[in-house]
Amino acid sequence: MNFNLTEEQLAVREAARDFAQKELKPGVIERDSKMLYPTEQIRGMAELGFLGMMVSPEYGGGGMDTLSYVLAMEEISKVDNSCSVIMSVNNSLVCWGIETFGSEEQKQKYLPRLAAGEWIGSFCLSEPEAGSDATSQRTTAIDMGDHYLLNGTKNWITNGGTSKLHIVIAQTDAEKGHRGINAFLVEADWDGVSIGAKEDKLGIRSSDTHTIMYTDVKVPKENRIGDDGFGFKFAMKTLSGGRIGIAAQALGIAGGAYELSLAYAQERSAFGKPIIKHQAISFKLADMATDIEAAKMMVYRAAWLKDQKLDYDTASSMAKLYASEVAMRHTVEAVQIHGGYGFVKEYHVERLMRDAKITQIYEGTSEVQRIVISRAVEKGKPYIDM
């Protein structure tokens, strides 16, 4: 296998790292503490093309591969995960879902706005009772002939307060089970769409997470994605790609914690020498470096499989599972390496630790990923599929 990045990929990574360090890091602590939406920062990301990286140039996007997107996500996530989750949802779930499965009319109408950052999108699957279980949707879309009538509640919606376009998963025929589910493109300013209060979260605090209510919303027939009954497959395939983005976010969190810890360990002295010279600290850093490298190979490989149009479902679940657990484990270690300084906001690692937890929860919890992986194992699939 060729582990060398292309010149374009290296340039993307450098641009993302430069933007994260110069534009995101200043003010990130205040935005997190006060739950301030990163309006200017998102505008800057849009200008760099980070909100429509994989969208075809035909629709105003960058036409980049998944690995380039992963590299950018990784660097942004080392610094500001509220920005990276906004970027992830817009790229992995909304833009990719529309371009891959939408009609030409839908692509022409929505992708240029989304890719340019003129509009931000949201993916509305989770519900108060069903969580991310797409088979248990209580939100309904009743076929009224020339339109659907949408009713229901979605919660934990990233970009819920700022998105102009929602992809809503809803049940149209309960008797058909998962074959009676559809996905709809719903504009946020339509009558009957209302937004709940912003959630006060443990981490990713400056991203806007809301409950969204739909009351007798008229959705034109042309805003259904795919054939009737395609919604469940759409959700599963889109989430599978989305997990690569969240795996990249987790990888970035772990990498950011490692870089901060390494620098601190080289500067901080105890008992007459830099603490990196003490095995208690150097061994922690060695474990961090090793686990991050292993996670990186899994995440990059999942992205490569997707770019090669090979089956990446199991690989994305493995990458998301492992990278999120690495992020959680080693942000805790980063706080420990920093000692008392790690417990205060100034040194950033406590925020990364809080942000790490969500990577084990959204786009399907770690338990959900183990279900996906175990089903592949039950079928006798090898743990590496080339």
Side-chain angles (χ1 to χ4, degrees):
M1 295 178 67
N2 183 4
F3 292 95
N4 293 320
L5 298 175
T6 66
E7 289 187 8
E8 181 181 7
Q9 290 165 343
L10 289 169
V12 167
R13 184 174 69 180
E14 184 60 30
R17 184 175 183 84
D18 186 67
F19 180 80
Q21 296 297 323
K22 293 181 179 178
E23 304 296 333
L24 297 183
K25 195 169 186 178
V28 66
I29 294 173
E30 181 182 16
R31 292 194 300 273
D32 174 82
S33 180
K34 296 180 179 180
M35 297 197 305
L36 301 175
Y37 185 80
T39 302
E40 292 302 318
Q41 291 73 24
I42 295 302
R43 184 176 293 118
M45 291 168 66
E47 290 173 357
L48 288 172
F50 288 156
L51 298 185
M53 295 185 70
M54 296 178 288
V55 175
S56 299
E58 177 184 357
Y59 306 112
M64 298 181 192
D65 59 11
T66 309
L67 183 53
S68 295
Y69 162 64
V70 161
L71 292 167
M73 274 290 297
E74 183 181 354
E75 293 300 328
I76 298 295
S77 300
K78 288 179 179 180
V79 176
D80 189 335
N81 288 283
S82 293
C83 285
S84 69
V85 74
I86 294 166
M87 173 180 167
S88 175
V89 169
N90 206 64
N91 276 282
S92 294
L93 301 182
V94 180
C95 288
W96 187 84
I98 294 172
E99 183 163 10
T100 305
F101 301 109
S103 67
E104 184 59 31
E105 180 184 0
Q106 291 167 354
K107 295 175 192 179
Q108 294 283 356
K109 183 176 182 180
Y110 294 119
L111 284 177
R113 298 175 183 176
L114 292 164
E118 178 186 343
W119 282 18
I120 298 293
S122 58
F123 191 83
C124 303
L125 171 64
S126 294
E127 297 187 354
E129 295 84 7
S132 296
D133 179 7
T135 63
S136 301
Q137 298 296 296
R138 295 193 179 184
T139 297
T140 59
I142 305 304
D143 190 340
M144 304 299 290
D146 62 343
H147 67 274
Y148 289 92
L149 200 61
L150 181 68
N151 283 278
T153 300
K154 298 292 184 177
N155 66 344
W156 315 121
I157 305 304
T158 299
N159 302 337
T162 53
S163 57
K164 297 292 184 67
L165 182 68
H166 306 167
I167 295 181
V168 183
I169 310 300
Q171 181 69 254
T172 55
D173 190 339
E175 293 183 0
K176 293 182 179 179
H178 72 274
R179 293 183 177 86
I181 294 172
N182 279 292
F184 301 93
L185 294 165
V186 178
E187 296 183 23
D189 61 358
W190 286 352
D191 289 342
V193 179
S194 57
I195 312 298
K198 185 176 182 177
E199 300 289 353
D200 188 357
K201 308 186 297 290
L202 172 71
I204 57 169
R205 287 172 53 79
S206 64
S207 68
D208 60 320
T209 304
H210 295 258
T211 295
I212 303 179
M213 290 75 71
Y214 302 96
T215 305
D216 290 340
V217 179
K218 292 182 178 180
V219 182
K221 281 291 184 69
E222 60 267 24
N223 276 43
R224 186 186 72 205
I225 298 176
D227 295 333
D228 186 26
F230 180 66
F232 177 78
K233 288 184 178 180
F234 170 84
M236 293 302 98
K237 199 63 182 176
T238 305
L239 286 173
S240 186
R243 285 171 188 138
I244 298 175
I246 299 306
Q249 183 183 47
L251 179 61
I253 292 171
Y258 170 75
E259 290 177 7
L260 290 167
S261 298
L262 177 60
Y264 180 81
Q266 290 170 329
E267 297 167 0
R268 173 73 167 171
S269 292
F271 305 104
K273 56 186 177 181
I275 63 173
I276 197 170
K277 298 294 186 181
H278 296 284
Q279 281 191 348
I281 302 300
S282 63
F283 281 12
K284 288 182 187 294
L285 290 165
D287 288 342
M288 291 172 76
T290 302
D291 283 349
I292 291 167
E293 193 67 19
K296 183 177 292 187
M297 292 299 100
M298 295 182 75
V299 178
Y300 288 13
R301 179 177 167 275
W304 179 84
L305 287 170
K306 186 170 182 286
D307 286 334
Q308 300 303 310
K309 303 189 184 307
L310 299 172
D311 180 11
Y312 59 89
D313 291 348
T314 305
S316 68
S317 286
M318 287 179 169
K320 197 264 188 186
L321 172 64
Y322 187 71
S324 65
E325 295 197 343
V326 166
M328 192 72 252
R329 181 164 62 248
H330 290 308
T331 52
V332 171
E333 289 286 40
V335 171
Q336 191 71 21
I337 290 170
H338 280 73
Y341 293 105
F343 209 64
V344 297
K345 295 182 183 298
E346 179 184 354
Y347 286 76
H348 295 283
V349 288
E350 65 85 29
R351 175 172 47 82
L352 290 175
M353 183 179 73
R354 289 187 283 106
D355 289 347
K357 189 58 192 175
I358 193 59
T359 67
Q360 294 181 305
I361 297 173
Y362 56 16
E363 304 293 343
T365 63
S366 294
E367 291 74 20
V368 169
Q369 305 320 309
R370 287 185 168 92
I371 290 172
V372 173
I373 297 164
S374 65
R375 285 176 178 168
V377 171
E378 289 169 6
K379 294 177 181 177
K381 293 183 68 175
Y383 62 88
I384 294 181
D385 251 345
M386 298 300 291

